[in-house]
Amino acid sequence: MTSVPTEHLIEATYLIATALFILSLKWLGSPTTARRGVFAGEIGMLLAVGGTLMYQGIVEYKWIAIALVLGSIIGVPLGKVAMTAVPQRTALSHAFGALCVTLVGTAEYYLRAPDVPPFMMGVLSMEVILGSLTFTGSLMAAGKLQEILPQRPITYKGQNVVNLGLLALAVVVAAALVRHPEKMQLFPVIVGIPLVFGVMMIIPIGGADMPTVISLLNSYAGLSAAAMGFVLQSKLLIIAGALDGASGFILSVNMSKAMNRSFTNVLFGAFGQEQASGAALGSEQARSVRSATPEEAAAILAAANKVVIVPGYGMAVAQAQHKVRELYDALTKRGIDVRFGIHPVAGRMPGHMNVLLAEADIPYDKLLDMDEINGEFPQTDVALIIGANDVTNPAARSDHASPIFGMPILDVDKARTAMVIKRSMGAGFAGIENPLYYLDKTLMLFGDAKNFAGAIVRELAGGRE
């Protein structure tokens, strides 16, 4: 008599969890509701886990409890990483999830073999292939972002043929297993080959494309989880995996559009090789740049009516977001109109700059995306670029030889004055020379972003007093 109410309770719990997952994605689409979205997702996942633990088919809770404790021991420290490490932390999460999917798929096959129906064998094959390549691909992406592995592309002749050949071989073996599931010796092949493919897939991809790669791997992880839902006959897992896969894919498409690049170009184009554009090689290397001190920068900012601040990964590395908030406060107190221009691929993951600035309590209505802010640069007195390189590179508009030609950029060079806080003249993450630094209207503010922004704030405070 207790089994029916328990089943109904589980179904109700799953239904609420599903609704929370959907609402979480909706709310995460806006900075003003993002915190609510995170909270909804967390509650939804808690309900999903709780509902699963209510199943009467569970024989022994001891090993589940041990796994929960071990997962918490590992997960809590990983959740306390610096904001600059969030992209690689996200990649590791994809890797762990994909490994889980692969292990569950492998266990299910050997439990069911040799009597596996064709549809179930096909889903199992999709699950382990996507899970395996996502596992190693995510580890490679995390390694590149952490700079443990080389960030520049590693290419060789015929690389794409080799990579696609590996994937095709795994698919052929999977098709053979669908027809003959009793050939258990073939199953390790559809696990092992994608593991290798995951490594080979990321090797030729440069660091500048990592934001898109992370979102694409997120999509793969979601699709593999959805496939696992079919295997385990879990409607909630199917829905959650489909939401994850679809949202990751849509985000990848949007990221590619933001860089004016196709998926094939991202995955096979070897973007990010160290090089300089033709314009930079010719004249700009022979030219000197104009630099300024914090005192001079503060004076220019104090005389401005309108300032647009453009953050980049350099701000994240220096953890300068709170000093940037102090700079924002100091300028607005003087009656200066200050806004922030956010490029979709600034940083190393989608929304990286928005998260950092939100952490520093910058008003949401001051964070404008590229399409909103670009029309305002011609009327802007000062464009202050803080650690952003490739997303402000005018070569994307004019230099057909540049690897980033055609990529939409922030039009900071159209402002009356551009000031760039940067440690050195080194190329950005894509390894491409930036002609912006050599323009007559540009002033280079060499130094750590946090220290330099702090020095400007002090000068502004002293000048006001």
Side-chain angles (χ1 to χ4, degrees):
M1 294 186 59
T2 58
S3 61
V4 174
T6 300
E7 290 176 1
H8 289 169
L9 180 59
I10 292 173
E11 291 300 322
T13 302
Y14 281 177
L15 182 61
I16 296 172
T18 299
L20 287 172
F21 289 154
I22 295 172
L23 289 172
S24 176
L25 279 179
K26 175 179 175 57
W27 288 331
L28 285 170
S30 170
T32 56
T33 57
R35 291 181 185 272
R36 189 194 312 165
V38 171
F39 185 69
E42 290 174 342
I43 297 299
M45 184 55 68
L46 180 63
L47 289 174
V49 173
T52 303
L53 293 177
M54 285 191 289
Y55 271 114
Q56 293 184 346
I58 296 177
V59 177
E60 179 62 73
Y61 281 94
K62 178 180 69 175
W63 294 109
I64 296 176
I66 292 174
L68 287 173
V69 170
L70 290 176
S72 299
I73 292 174
I74 297 172
V76 169
L78 285 177
K80 296 181 178 179
V81 299
M83 288 300 299
T84 51
V86 168
Q88 46 266 51
R89 164 66 179 81
T90 302
L92 283 178
S93 294
H94 296 162
F96 293 151
L99 176 61
C100 173
V101 167
T102 305
L103 292 175
V104 170
T106 301
E108 286 293 324
Y109 171 75
Y110 284 107
L111 284 172
R112 298 167 186 249
D115 301 320
V116 186
F119 175 77
M120 186 60 66
M121 189 66 243
V123 175
L124 266 172
S125 299
M126 176 183 174
E127 176 185 341
V128 297
I129 288 175
L130 284 174
S132 298
L133 68 89
T134 303
F135 171 60
T136 50
S138 296
L139 288 179
M140 290 291 294
K144 285 198 171 192
L145 290 168
Q146 190 63 25
E147 301 183 12
I148 297 173
L149 301 175
Q151 299 177 36
R152 302 304 178 201
I154 300 175
T155 59
Y156 56 86
K157 188 175 182 180
Q159 187 171 42
N160 292 337
V161 175
V162 172
N163 290 355
L164 293 176
L166 282 173
L167 186 60
L169 179 60
V171 173
V172 169
V173 174
L177 273 171
V178 170
R179 293 176 58 88
H180 302 285
E182 71 279 0
K183 294 185 177 181
M184 300 174 66
Q185 69 275 14
L186 292 179
F187 191 83
V189 178
I190 66 170
V191 177
I193 290 179
L195 288 173
V196 176
F197 175 79
V199 175
M200 304 301 290
M201 177 179 71
I202 302 300
I203 283 177
I205 300 176
D209 281 327
M210 277 301 117
T212 305
V213 171
I214 288 177
S215 59
L216 192 59
L217 289 170
N218 177 60
S219 178
Y220 292 163
L223 292 174
S224 62
M228 184 170 67
F230 280 101
V231 173
L232 300 179
Q233 298 182 354
S234 171
K235 297 182 182 68
L236 178 63
L237 194 53
I238 294 171
I239 294 171
L243 287 171
D244 193 14
S247 60
F249 180 77
I250 292 171
L251 182 58
S252 299
V253 171
N254 291 338
M255 297 288 284
S256 294
K257 287 182 178 178
M259 295 187 295
N260 193 37
R261 291 162 60 70
S262 65
F263 270 136
T264 54
N265 194 232
V266 170
L267 295 178
F268 308 120
F271 182 55
Q273 299 181 46
E274 185 72 41
Q275 54 188 297
S277 67
L281 283 173
S283 61
E284 288 160 1
Q285 285 186 347
R287 297 171 58 186
S288 60
V289 298
R290 299 170 60 212
S291 62
T293 64
E295 295 84 356
E296 293 168 331
I300 294 172
L301 287 169
N305 292 315
K306 184 173 183 178
V307 173
V308 174
I309 299 176
V310 176
Y313 187 66
M315 185 189 76
V317 171
Q319 299 183 41
Q321 60 269 27
H322 295 286
K323 288 297 179 182
V324 171
R325 171 57 198 254
E326 293 179 18
L327 177 59
Y328 166 82
D329 290 338
L331 292 174
T332 53
K333 286 178 181 178
R334 290 174 172 265
I336 300 170
D337 179 14
V338 182
R339 302 186 184 187
F340 292 79
I342 312 295
H343 194 283
V345 296
R348 292 192 181 180
M349 69 177 296
H352 200 174
M353 296 300 103
N354 299 76
V355 172
L356 286 172
L357 295 174
E359 180 196 9
D361 293 325
I362 301 291
Y364 293 133
D365 61 342
K366 298 297 182 180
L367 308 182
L368 305 181
D369 62 30
M370 179 176 60
D371 294 333
E372 294 175 305
I373 199 68
N374 264 352
E376 299 188 20
F377 278 113
Q379 293 80 44
T380 298
D381 296 305
V382 180
L384 178 61
I385 300 97
I386 305 178
N389 291 286
D390 306 315
V391 298
T392 63
N393 193 333
R397 293 197 305 262
S398 59
D399 186 358
H400 291 261
S402 174
I404 64 170
F405 177 73
M407 183 181 88
I409 63 165
L410 290 162
D411 296 332
V412 294
D413 58 320
K414 295 182 180 180
R416 296 184 180 90
T417 299
M419 296 196 296
V420 184
I421 299 180
K422 201 172 184 299
R423 290 179 182 272
S424 68
M425 288 297 294
F429 204 44
I432 301 168
E433 188 77 50
N434 192 340
L436 171 71
Y437 305 153
Y438 302 93
L439 297 179
D440 291 337
K441 64 169 64 177
T442 301
L443 291 173
M444 301 300 297
L445 313 179
F446 292 114
D448 174 84
K450 182 178 181 179
N451 293 337
F452 209 109
I456 294 176
V457 171
R458 289 192 294 272
E459 290 298 324
L460 289 171
R464 186 175 65 249
E465 294 173 354

